[in-house]
Amino acid sequence: MKHTTRIIASLCTVSMTAALAAACGSDEAASPAAGTSASPQASAGAAQTAAPAPAAISLIQPDLGRVWRDDNAVTKEIEKKANVKLNVTMFPNNDFNSKYNVLAASGDIPDISRLGSFDYQKYVDQGLYMDLSKYLDQYAPNLKKNLKPELWELTKYKGKQFVIPYENAAGKEVPVIRKDWLTALNLQMPTNLEEFENVLKAFTFNDPDKNGKADTYGMGITNTYSETFMPVFGAFGIAPGTIGGSTPMNSYLKDNKIHPIAVSAEYKAAIEYLKKLWDAKVMDPETFTIKADQALQKAAQGKIGYFTAWWSIAPQQLVQQLKMKEIVPGAEWDPIFPALKGPEGKSGMLSYGNIAATLAISSKAKNPEAILRFLDFMSTDEGWELNHYGLKGVHYSSITEPRTPEGQKAYDEKWLDPLSQIVSRQDLADKVSASSKDPIQVENNRFIQAAAKYTLYQDVFYGIPLTDEQKSYGPDVAKYEEEMLIKFITGKEPLSKWDEYVDTWKKKGGKTLLESKVKKYNELKSGNVVLEL
């Protein structure tokens, strides 16, 4: 990559890590500077010679709600500390995969690729990535030590370590509600689907903002409708995952049988409930068409009373960045906790697993040792604090205190920490989050802690590599699932055609690809589960 691409994010869909900080005073061994020798036999005379030139390293990642600036003093300091020269390309989150697919097809990728959880599995067999197994102990001891062994094991591919895992909390999404609207209408926090429906009707028809206009909706979105619907699905004991995309929905295991959610009785029951909300006109009519940035603006303007999204959307995107309380004085968002219960008392949210992302190093990288030393520095306490909080004395004074005005301005403008989602230290994130005296972090914690405490439903195939059948049929099956979900909810197709939908789903490849996944599951886990259809 010959240049640095700077693109402003359209939406932060990824969590700003709970603490965005690390503890001071590392007791870890200092990592050798990138581009220098790791040999302990280096002579004293060599120390007096000129320092080696910084190692040039190219990196590609989703913008993750950040902006790259060439004059960023924080990234300049990281380059100095690690003795590297970074060439960073950032694409918008919602456009990253398509852009990366083009690069991968050409075989011309940067030295480091920051990918979604298990997306690397789509590209490994093309020979794009380097097997890191023989390098980690020598060039990245801190990086290897600071990530749990099970994370490394989970991200192996055919017994080899092609990627570096990025650990994160499995609970990410939080259903939130306008607490001030509940108070204004003398309502209690809903605890089940019946109460939830009544609250949404009141938010839509009882003028919760007291402006005398019929301009509010009970349910809206700020990113995707699949997020907003998740607590409803959870109330029926399932978590479909991201609806749409390139892979079919999740599956669950019960009585040694794997059940695909997209054609399950629980999924149908959840759709029936959502259709009832649509028919009652308590759902924003733009739910399936509005763009994410427009949806955020609608929420910030006080037009919706409930949504579900990444934990950071309400406290950070709406309140801090979009200044919602200046637009709507008195606006207050609360997590719905515990999660809504369904007819059988079930409740829960989607588990994102503890692999939030991965880093892959190009098999064509000229200096993998320097790359790993750079990443190793980012994994130390010093490196992590620097890439999350900035320059001490300039952007912050203490990791448990509010940022300085300059640091807060840089953070709000989204350019302070563009590399903070490269290397994870969940141990430090949790530690700093719990001890922080920063009122902004204290407010964030209400949502972070709620997300972590829900019952979390995880896809039975989490971490199982893509099969050829999944690659072939997955996009068409996923597209069909999404199309029919919208048609069923909006009434464009009656639910009386459910059996027809299931049959078509099977014929489009749903049954074939699930059979291949079950086979792969049994091979890797030495199991004997069967597909229930």
Side-chain angles (χ1 to χ4, degrees):
M1 309 301 290
K2 302 290 186 181
H3 62 282
T4 298
T5 303
R6 293 164 288 171
I7 305 177
I8 300 177
S10 60
L11 177 67
C12 176
T13 60
V14 178
S15 156
M16 307 259 181
T17 309
L20 297 182
C24 296
S26 171
D27 59 0
E28 297 173 293
S31 175
T36 64
S37 172
S39 171
Q41 286 78 36
S43 67
Q48 298 175 2
T49 63
I57 296 175
S58 56
L59 182 154
I60 188 169
Q61 67 173 21
D63 57 29
L64 303 167
R66 276 79 167 174
V67 177
W68 183 267
R69 281 177 41 169
D70 290 331
D71 62 348
N72 186 345
V74 179
T75 53
K76 294 295 183 186
E77 184 67 11
I78 290 172
E79 290 179 319
K80 178 182 175 181
K81 292 278 188 181
N83 196 31
V84 297
K85 178 61 180 176
L86 298 174
N87 186 350
V88 177
T89 298
M90 294 166 60
F91 291 124
N93 299 341
N94 58 4
D95 199 31
F96 179 83
N97 288 340
S98 62
K99 296 284 189 183
Y100 192 80
N101 285 339
V102 174
L103 292 175
S106 72
D108 182 20
I109 60 172
D111 295 324
I112 304 174
S113 300
R114 198 274 192 189
L115 305 167
S117 55
F118 297 97
D119 287 352
Y120 67 93
Q121 295 174 352
K122 296 183 288 188
Y123 310 108
V124 171
D125 290 335
Q126 299 177 36
L128 291 178
Y129 306 136
M130 182 178 296
D131 179 5
L132 305 176
S133 305
K134 62 182 179 180
Y135 294 102
L136 289 168
D137 286 329
Q138 183 175 1
Y139 300 110
N142 292 305
L143 184 64
K144 185 172 182 180
K145 178 187 71 175
N146 289 331
L147 290 168
K148 300 181 182 73
E150 57 264 31
L151 301 177
W152 292 107
E153 189 64 31
L154 188 59
T155 51
K156 283 184 177 178
Y157 185 86
K158 297 181 179 179
K160 297 182 179 181
Q161 194 71 54
F162 289 100
V163 295
I164 298 162
Y166 185 101
E167 182 183 7
N168 222 330
K172 291 297 177 189
E173 293 178 347
V174 180
V176 297
I177 198 164
R178 284 286 298 272
K179 180 181 178 182
D180 55 312
W181 282 12
L182 290 174
T183 301
L185 298 175
N186 196 29
L187 297 170
Q188 299 298 314
M189 180 72 72
T191 62
N192 56 49
L193 293 181
E194 182 180 359
E195 294 173 359
F196 183 56
E197 180 182 356
N198 291 333
V199 166
L200 295 182
K201 288 178 178 178
F203 281 2
T204 305
F205 302 114
N206 294 358
D207 194 18
D209 57 2
K210 305 302 180 185
N211 68 353
K213 300 178 182 178
D215 59 353
T216 59
Y217 287 99
M219 176 183 285
I221 69 169
T222 56
N223 186 23
T224 68
Y225 59 82
S226 60
E227 288 178 337
T228 282
F229 296 163
M230 195 58 65
V232 172
F233 289 119
F236 288 92
I238 57 173
T242 301
I243 299 168
S246 60
T247 56
M249 296 184 199
N250 293 348
S251 301
Y252 66 89
L253 180 64
K254 182 179 180 181
D255 298 328
N256 212 46
K257 296 178 180 179
I258 287 178
H259 303 258
I261 286 175
V263 292
S264 67
E266 297 93 335
Y267 183 62
K268 181 183 179 184
I271 289 177
E272 289 174 336
Y273 177 82
L274 289 166
K275 183 180 187 306
K276 184 166 61 170
L277 298 184
W278 178 269
D279 291 345
K281 302 186 184 302
V282 301
M283 198 182 296
D284 183 348
E286 294 185 308
T287 292
F288 300 108
T289 58
I290 195 170
K291 294 181 179 178
D293 56 342
Q294 295 172 331
L296 269 172
Q297 290 292 339
K298 183 176 285 191
Q301 292 163 7
K303 302 303 180 184
I304 62 172
Y306 154 87
F307 66 86
T308 295
W310 219 251
W311 71 261
S312 58
I313 296 298
Q316 292 184 356
Q317 290 284 91
L318 295 178
V319 176
Q320 294 178 40
Q321 295 174 12
L322 296 180
K323 311 296 182 185
M324 181 175 180
K325 290 194 175 183
E326 295 180 13
I327 303 170
V328 186
E332 187 173 359
W333 294 102
D334 257 6
I336 296 179
F337 190 85
L340 300 169
K341 291 185 178 180
E344 297 180 4
K346 296 178 181 178
S347 68
M349 295 290 293
L350 173 67
S351 169
Y352 281 84
N354 51 4
I355 304 295
T358 52
L359 290 183
I361 297 177
S362 170
S363 58
K364 297 180 181 179
K366 296 180 180 179
N367 198 342
E369 297 91 348
I371 294 170
L372 284 168
R373 288 184 185 125
F374 158 65
L375 297 174
D376 195 64
F377 168 72
M378 298 284 274
S379 181
T380 64
D381 290 9
E382 178 189 11
W384 216 69
E385 183 171 333
L386 176 60
N387 74 58
H388 281 78
Y389 263 72
L391 303 177
K392 193 167 187 177
V394 177
H395 301 113
Y396 74 105
S397 57
S398 168
I399 55 178
T400 61
E401 299 291 340
R403 302 177 191 273
T404 64
E406 183 175 346
Q408 190 60 47
K409 183 175 185 293
Y411 182 74
D412 290 343
E413 292 175 355
K414 306 179 184 180
W415 59 263
L416 180 69
D417 59 344
L419 300 177
S420 62
Q421 302 293 298
I422 298 299
V423 173
S424 65
R425 287 292 303 275
Q426 191 64 31
D427 58 329
L428 293 177
D430 293 340
K431 178 180 177 180
V432 176
S433 176
S435 63
S436 180
K437 300 173 185 176
D438 181 354
I440 292 176
Q441 184 61 52
V442 171
E443 173 66 3
N444 288 344
N445 285 349
R446 295 200 304 124
F447 298 86
I448 294 167
Q449 291 165 4
K453 291 178 180 177
Y454 296 125
T455 297
L456 299 177
Y457 300 118
Q458 183 167 291
D459 183 13
V460 68
F461 294 121
Y462 181 71
I464 300 296
L466 293 172
T467 63
D468 290 338
E469 292 84 353
Q470 191 173 358
K471 295 174 185 177
S472 298
Y473 297 111
D476 285 343
V477 174
K479 182 180 178 182
Y480 181 65
E481 290 172 351
E482 181 177 24
E483 288 176 352
M484 293 306 296
L485 173 80
I486 296 173
K487 288 180 178 179
F488 282 142
I489 292 175
T490 59
K492 292 183 178 179
E493 289 286 355
L495 274 165
S496 59
K497 289 191 175 183
W498 179 261
D499 290 343
E500 181 180 325
Y501 156 71
V502 173
D503 288 340
T504 303
W505 182 89
K506 292 177 182 178
K507 293 175 182 176
K508 281 184 173 289
K511 185 173 184 290
T512 300
L513 73 85
L514 259 296
E515 287 173 339
S516 73
K517 293 292 287 184
V518 169
K519 181 180 178 181
K520 179 66 68 174
Y521 178 95
N522 285 330
E523 289 174 356
L524 296 178
K525 294 184 177 290
S526 300
N528 60 349
V529 302
V530 297
L531 178 62
E532 177 74 6
L533 267 178

